[in-house]
Amino acid sequence: MLINIRLERDLKHYLALLLILLLSSGCSSSKLDPKVRQQQADSFAVYGGLVQEKIQTNQFLLTTYQRFDNTDKSKELTVYIEGDGMAWISRDQLSNNPTPIHPVALELASLDKRANILYIARPCQYLWPQVTIRNCSSEYWNNKRGSEEVIDSINQVISIIKARIGVSSINLIGYSGGGGIATLITARRDDVEKLITVSGNLNYRLFTKIHNLTPMNGSVNPITVAKRIKSIPQLHYVGSDDKIVPEQIARSFSDDVVVMDGVTHTNWAEKWEIILMNTYERPLHK
């Protein structure tokens, strides 16, 4: 029976990845279709047994994927926060829809077998057309991607779900730009058990300096809360081959950095089972 379950799980994962490859092998115009990107997300959700729910907050309508176990005794909720998505089509052209082409945080959530999993997309991801969605201005995947209203909205979803399923503690896992959001949320809560970032953008000023970009003056820089959350158990994973969020950004934020050999900005799924085992089976530095 165990072998059959494992084979079924592996087959679902294979089919999900096959769909991603087929979709991504198409013309570039198909990648820009948000409905195609939605299909990619749904394939990961099916594999992980995650169900979509859109939750209205004070500021945004946010897309979530969830899997909960009412019999779980751990009273923990593990929250995955997505990266910036397709914020830009090119260096000079802002996207009209930030839905990710490859939703890395959702893929990682689908691989996490812990009892209570909540994935939260960033504002305006998995919504279309943007012109009909309240507050879906492009500034929220550009200069204001880490603004107070973005942080508050994602934090509000966490509180809604926490109250609904009756858990007592939170594990926060943020990917790329979602790592910065997870860090800022950690500074606002007293129930975060662990903070884990994956290719996390933890220092906006250094990030824009490295890439010669316009400063994100409409956002709260995560580096400003580094000292405040120092007592929270945390690990910041970076890829040795990540050219987008290099190791020095995590090092500027914390000493609790783990460099994963052979990992780029997006291929974290290959190492995720090992990372989860190491993260949850040994105590984090405090």
Side-chain angles (χ1 to χ4, degrees):
M1 178 63 72
L2 180 60
I3 293 176
N4 289 336
I5 292 173
R6 182 179 292 273
L7 286 173
E8 182 180 359
R9 184 188 71 183
D10 291 345
L11 178 60
K12 285 182 179 179
H13 194 210
Y14 168 77
L15 291 174
L17 291 177
L18 179 61
L19 177 59
I20 295 296
L21 290 173
L22 290 173
L23 291 170
S24 63
S25 65
C27 64
S28 59
S29 61
S30 69
K31 294 181 185 180
L32 301 183
D33 185 345
K35 294 183 180 180
V36 172
R37 288 176 263 163
Q38 177 70 69
Q39 292 173 344
Q40 294 172 337
D42 288 343
S43 68
F44 286 130
V46 168
Y47 171 72
L50 300 162
V51 177
Q52 187 190 109
E53 179 186 4
K54 296 189 188 299
I55 298 178
Q56 183 66 59
T57 69
N58 294 337
Q59 185 76 13
F60 301 104
L61 179 67
L62 295 181
T63 301
T64 73
Y65 285 91
Q66 316 165 359
R67 186 186 71 244
F68 307 130
D69 182 355
N70 293 331
T71 66
D72 176 58
K73 305 299 183 183
S74 70
K75 297 297 182 182
E76 283 187 343
L77 173 65
T78 299
V79 179
Y80 286 77
I81 301 176
E82 189 57 82
D84 296 338
M86 198 177 78
W88 294 81
I89 295 176
S90 68
R91 185 177 178 88
D92 301 317
Q93 184 178 358
L94 194 65
S95 169
N96 64 4
N97 188 304
T99 300
I101 291 178
H102 179 186
V104 174
L106 181 56
E107 182 180 18
L108 300 184
S110 75
L111 297 171
D112 193 328
K113 302 308 175 186
R114 296 177 73 79
N116 299 309
I117 301 295
L118 171 65
Y119 161 90
I120 308 176
R122 303 282 286 284
C124 309
Q125 294 179 353
Y126 304 106
L127 301 174
W128 55 82
Q130 250 66 45
V131 292
T132 66
I133 306 298
R134 183 167 66 93
N135 296 329
C136 269
S137 166
S138 61
E139 63 184 349
Y140 288 115
W141 55 92
N142 186 16
N143 180 52
K144 298 181 71 174
R145 69 186 72 179
S147 63
E148 289 284 352
E149 50 266 44
V150 169
I151 301 162
D152 288 344
S153 293
I154 295 176
N155 193 29
Q156 187 179 347
V157 169
I158 295 172
S159 295
I160 289 171
I161 296 300
K162 180 189 174 186
R164 181 191 298 176
I165 67 174
V167 296
S168 56
S169 63
I170 307 293
N171 299 312
L172 282 179
I173 302 177
Y175 165 69
S176 192
I181 300 297
T183 299
L184 291 162
I185 289 174
T186 297
R188 300 175 183 220
R189 304 186 67 96
D190 59 7
D191 56 1
V192 176
E193 191 74 19
K194 296 182 181 71
L195 168 65
I196 301 164
T197 69
V198 180
S199 286
N201 187 355
L202 304 174
N203 188 334
Y204 295 160
R205 181 171 295 180
L206 180 57
F207 176 82
T208 55
K209 180 179 179 181
I210 289 172
H211 293 290
N212 194 26
L213 301 172
T214 302
M216 293 165 54
N217 293 328
S219 298
V220 182
N221 194 344
I223 196 72
T224 61
V225 302
K227 292 182 179 178
R228 197 188 319 169
I229 67 168
K230 195 171 184 179
S231 63
I232 303 295
Q234 58 192 276
L235 278 178
H236 305 284
Y237 289 96
V238 298
S240 64
D241 300 333
D242 192 339
K243 306 302 182 185
I244 297 176
V245 184
E247 178 183 346
Q248 68 189 100
I249 290 179
R251 296 288 184 192
S252 73
F253 184 91
S254 172
D255 294 328
D256 298 310
V257 176
V258 178
V259 180
M260 302 297 293
D261 290 337
V263 176
T264 65
H265 192 64
T266 58
N267 66 336
W268 285 98
E270 300 171 10
K271 305 281 189 179
W272 198 237
E273 185 175 352
I274 296 173
I275 290 173
L276 287 179
M277 188 180 303
N278 290 339
T279 299
Y280 288 113
E281 289 191 357
R282 67 181 179 86
L284 303 190
H285 172 70
K286 191 168 185 178

